[in-house]
Amino acid sequence: MLKDPGLVLAICAFSLYIVGGLATFTGVGIVFLVGKNDLFGWGQGTGIGYLFICVGLCFSILGVLFMRIFRNRGPR
């Protein structure tokens, strides 16, 4: 099936890193553009924006850690 399962793990880690970056910058945009106004009935824009920033940073850090772990795995 798959000749290199490490490649699939690396792609998952990289996509997690990219999604985290997008979420972080989306959160910054929501905080600055929406502000204290209601955002689609979900709550204030600042709260949702800060949530996106924190979750995005956590995803980015997790993606970098996974990339480092998968890179340092030697051939078996």
Side-chain angles (χ1 to χ4, degrees):
M1 251 181 127
L2 290 174
K3 292 185 179 181
D4 189 14
L7 181 65
V8 174
L9 294 174
I11 290 172
C12 290
F14 190 64
S15 63
L16 188 65
Y17 174 69
I18 295 297
V19 167
L22 289 174
T24 301
F25 286 110
T26 301
V28 170
I30 289 173
V31 168
F32 284 125
L33 295 177
V34 177
K36 296 212 180 244
N37 295 333
D38 189 45
L39 183 69
F40 305 123
W42 294 348
Q44 288 185 348
T46 53
I48 302 297
Y50 291 146
L51 176 71
F52 273 43
I53 291 170
C54 293
V55 170
L57 287 176
C58 289
F59 277 0
S60 292
I61 292 169
L62 192 64
V64 169
L65 286 174
F66 282 168
M67 282 190 277
R68 296 284 299 187
I69 290 169
F70 298 145
R71 178 171 158 57
N72 290 332
R73 288 178 53 186
R76 293 182 179 188

